[in-house]
Amino acid sequence: MAATFLGQLRIGSIWRNGISTHELEFAEFCYTGSYTRSQWEDIVWEQKQRGLIPPDRYPLPYAHNDQSRLLRLHAEGKALLVPCMEFFTRCYARSSEVNRILLTYGAEEQDERLMLRESIDSVPGARPIWIPPYTTDADAHFLAQLRYDAEMSKKLKDFSAQLDQELLASKNNVAFLAFGPWYYGPAKLKVQGVPLNNGDFLALRIVGYSLPEDYPVHALRVHKETDTEGELSRFPRPRREVHEIAEGQTIAATQELGADQDTDIHVVNDPGIEILNTPAPVTTETVRRDRNGRTIRTPSAPSSCSAPGEAGGTGKGVASLQVKSEVSSPSEGAVHALWAGLVYLQEANLGLIRSVAWCTPSYTFRSPPDPPETGFRLPNLKSPRRLQEIRKTRAWLHRSGLSSARSVFVFRIQTPRFTGYFFEVQRAVREGKKDNGATEFVEDSYCGLVAIPKDNGDLSRWLDAIFEAISWQCGIMKNVLPHIKSITSYQAYYQRTKRDGDTLEGQATAFNALSKLGIINLKYSKIDGIHDVG
């Protein structure tokens, strides 16, 4: 299988007629530790974790010859086990082209294709790099490590040679490479997988990771412009336009043929991944360069399918296929802001609000200072819902820019008169640019929901019913209200707001949400007077 497809064929994905329709649900685990060399090792699971996969339940094709490698990360006496191939696919470059180059070419060719030895002006206080063609700005930290960290660069550039050696020695034409961390320092991973009986955790999917925090990066991308003067080139050039394949759209792909040099380029998104820390800042700049001479541009040749890898030749009707994954900052920015606002206002109104807590997926509650870590995964719709509704909801739940299926966070407040609940859907996050060229992340905008149960019955059943309504209405809380009236004594939606001089970002939104519940004489801040919202 082409390396380009690794991010599409995820563990637990369910395929039908060449299309992934569902994913198995796994438990989630968050790792906080370090990538210092003493904190991790790569192991051959058959030698060190032989009982990990019972052969009677899941027979492996190579039996005792299986040399599959696991990355074992240590933290607090326990271990997180991650398949090395999953770590490579999800924690190396966001562009499949960078990863393909690392596995395909020798060190000199890698330097040329990734522009690692291209001369570049120094930038005070930052590591300047070039962003190669067909790659993404999200790879800036990874490319900077390749350019400036000699020890790590040598290790990463050796993968292609290791791959050749493994394939030559293999009886089954299969290679097992030891992909490990590509930088040293503090590390975080958010994974989905299976808890083991000994307290360790086997990761099957990585949905979030951390990036280096030490050196800022200044990334330059070349934009070539055709000369308006000079001698006309004898050879026309195809336009080769780049087409982003829209969410929910499918294209035919092949590994039997190579892409043509004169067809368009199709870009497909792997599942998004969440950035769990605040990495060193990245600024970007576009450098314009003129081509030598004037060039006639011709329309791209038609294509009936796409293929990954090197483009060569013409006439096959095969477009180039590029794959990348969107990155996001912690996708609960608005959620965490609301939580901080609720905690702040509870401390300012101890007589009116007795407690604030967030609900875990096991239906238990945790109080400050513990911040909300995970939400409830929202359900897919099932029959008797209409097929069109089921498909619409599925697309919303798995939208690009989310690290995994969309979830909802639940907060609880307790007052002398009632117990109320807040619902905040997880936002998809997309990368944008500030005016100064710096990268920023922009969240979807959604209203929140407040509700009070009609009775003191089974909380889990009540929450599940509300989750079903939120999925059905794709997070539009105004539309959710009519569908939960029978199970709530009060329900309302609230908008995100802000005021000049706020102590916290979510302070005004939290005040607005509490006001919707009818709490009167609520203080807006710990130092201000009383603001009557009755």
Side-chain angles (χ1 to χ4, degrees):
M1 183 181 67
T4 304
F5 294 137
L6 290 174
Q8 296 284 311
L9 299 173
R10 306 194 71 189
I11 298 174
S13 57
I14 301 171
W15 292 73
R16 178 179 297 172
N17 299 325
I19 300 173
S20 177
T21 57
H22 294 83
E23 277 190 347
L24 296 179
E25 291 191 8
F26 296 121
E28 193 164 271
F29 177 80
C30 295
Y31 164 84
T32 300
S34 173
Y35 285 153
T36 54
R37 197 60 185 89
S38 61
Q39 296 300 305
W40 64 270
E41 59 185 327
D42 63 86
I43 62 172
V44 176
W45 79 271
E46 175 65 22
Q47 297 173 1
K48 297 290 185 71
Q49 299 277 157
R50 180 167 293 181
L52 190 60
I53 304 177
D56 56 330
R57 294 181 58 188
Y58 191 87
L60 296 172
Y62 311 117
H64 294 294
N65 292 321
D66 193 312
Q67 299 294 301
S68 296
R69 291 182 174 272
L70 292 172
L71 185 65
R72 184 156 61 187
L73 298 156
H74 304 284
E76 300 178 356
K78 301 297 181 181
L80 171 65
L81 303 169
V82 185
C84 286
M85 186 58 73
E86 175 71 2
F87 191 83
F88 172 75
T89 304
R90 300 292 286 164
C91 296
Y92 275 52
R94 301 276 44 85
S95 164
S96 66
E97 180 65 6
V98 176
N99 289 340
R100 185 187 74 84
I101 288 171
L102 287 178
L103 293 178
T104 306
Y105 304 104
E108 291 186 7
E109 185 77 4
Q110 290 179 29
D111 285 346
E112 181 178 346
R113 289 174 177 267
L114 298 178
M115 304 177 72
L116 298 176
R117 295 294 173 262
E118 186 92 2
S119 61
I120 192 169
D121 293 335
S122 62
V123 176
R127 287 178 163 179
I129 62 163
W130 293 100
I131 299 293
Y134 310 123
T135 62
T136 170
D137 295 351
D139 291 329
H141 291 98
F142 186 74
L143 293 169
Q145 207 72 9
L146 280 171
R147 185 176 182 114
Y148 293 101
D149 189 324
E151 176 192 353
M152 197 62 72
S153 178
K154 184 178 184 302
K155 175 183 175 182
L156 299 180
K157 290 178 181 178
D158 196 39
F159 285 142
S160 62
Q162 292 179 27
L163 179 60
D164 290 340
Q165 292 172 5
E166 288 262 349
L167 291 175
L168 285 174
S170 172
K171 297 179 181 179
N172 302 298
N173 200 33
V174 176
F176 305 98
L177 299 185
F179 299 111
W182 49 269
Y183 72 92
Y184 298 119
K188 291 183 178 181
L189 286 174
K190 182 188 287 188
V191 300
Q192 296 169 349
V194 180
L196 304 179
N197 292 334
N198 64 355
D200 295 346
F201 193 93
L202 174 62
L204 300 176
R205 293 193 294 252
I206 298 175
V207 296
Y209 75 135
S210 57
L211 289 169
E213 302 175 2
D214 44 9
Y215 297 104
V217 180
H218 185 73
L220 285 78
R221 181 181 289 278
V222 174
H223 177 75
K224 293 185 178 180
E225 296 181 333
T226 302
D227 281 348
T228 56
E229 300 178 355
E231 184 178 351
L232 184 65
S233 172
R234 294 167 51 194
F235 304 103
R237 296 171 61 92
R239 294 188 184 280
R240 301 211 76 194
E241 295 179 351
V242 176
H243 298 279
E244 291 265 356
I245 304 304
E247 215 169 327
Q249 182 180 349
T250 59
I251 58 171
T254 180
Q255 298 184 92
E256 306 301 323
L257 299 172
D260 291 321
Q261 292 178 316
D262 59 351
T263 51
D264 285 339
I265 299 166
H266 294 161
V267 178
V268 175
N269 281 310
D270 278 344
I273 194 161
E274 183 179 340
I275 305 302
L276 302 176
N277 64 335
T278 303
V282 175
T283 55
T284 58
E285 179 183 353
T286 299
V287 179
R288 301 188 180 275
R289 290 182 179 177
D290 291 339
R291 299 184 185 277
N292 295 323
R294 291 179 295 149
T295 303
I296 297 176
R297 288 292 189 175
T298 61
S300 299
S303 58
S304 59
C305 63
S306 304
E310 203 72 26
T314 59
K316 301 185 292 292
V318 182
S320 288
L321 179 65
Q322 302 286 339
V323 178
K324 62 181 179 67
S325 59
E326 298 279 354
V327 298
S328 67
S329 62
S331 56
E332 292 78 46
V335 175
H336 284 173
L338 174 68
W339 169 255
L342 289 173
V343 172
Y344 178 83
L345 291 177
Q346 190 267 333
E347 293 172 350
N349 297 272
L350 295 176
L352 297 175
I353 305 172
R354 289 177 174 173
S355 69
V356 174
W358 61 275
C359 191
T360 72
S362 59
Y363 301 97
T364 60
F365 288 91
R366 296 177 64 178
S367 302
D370 293 342
E373 296 176 351
T374 55
F376 292 83
R377 186 171 297 185
L378 285 167
N380 283 297
L381 295 186
K382 299 178 181 178
S383 182
R385 303 288 189 199
R386 291 181 300 167
L387 181 61
Q388 183 179 2
E389 292 178 328
I390 293 174
R391 288 175 174 172
K392 180 182 177 182
T393 297
R394 183 184 300 155
W396 179 73
L397 291 175
H398 297 276
R399 181 181 171 184
S400 176
L402 293 168
S403 57
S404 56
R406 198 185 296 265
S407 59
V408 61
F409 288 77
V410 179
F411 302 151
R412 182 190 71 185
I413 67 158
Q414 292 179 314
T415 76
R417 296 188 297 111
F418 63 84
T419 296
Y421 295 86
F422 300 74
F423 299 84
E424 286 279 343
V425 298
Q426 182 186 18
R427 276 82 167 156
V429 183
R430 296 191 179 277
E431 186 176 313
K433 290 287 187 298
K434 295 181 180 179
D435 293 338
N436 62 2
T439 299
E440 66 174 346
F441 297 97
V442 182
E443 288 188 339
D444 286 341
S445 179
Y446 284 97
C447 292
L449 172 72
V450 291
I452 299 174
K454 180 164 282 188
D455 52 46
N456 294 322
D458 188 331
L459 177 64
S460 63
R461 290 183 62 185
W462 183 76
L463 289 176
D464 289 346
I466 292 184
F467 298 158
E468 170 81 12
I470 292 174
S471 282
W472 184 15
Q473 300 304 317
C474 296
I476 307 303
M477 298 306 188
K478 182 178 181 181
N479 297 341
V480 170
L481 300 182
H483 303 287
I484 62 173
K485 281 188 175 181
S486 63
I487 60 173
T488 58
S489 61
Y490 179 80
Q491 69 291 136
Y493 71 93
Y494 58 88
Q495 297 178 330
R496 319 221 78 73
T497 56
K498 61 174 63 176
R499 297 185 187 180
D500 293 336
D502 279 355
T503 304
L504 298 170
E505 180 184 348
Q507 183 177 351
T509 300
F511 187 82
N512 183 32
L514 291 167
S515 302
K516 291 283 186 175
L517 287 172
I519 302 178
I520 61 174
N521 296 328
L522 190 67
K523 289 183 180 179
Y524 187 72
S525 88
K526 297 178 181 179
I527 57 175
D528 289 346
I530 294 175
H531 293 248
D532 189 350
V533 297

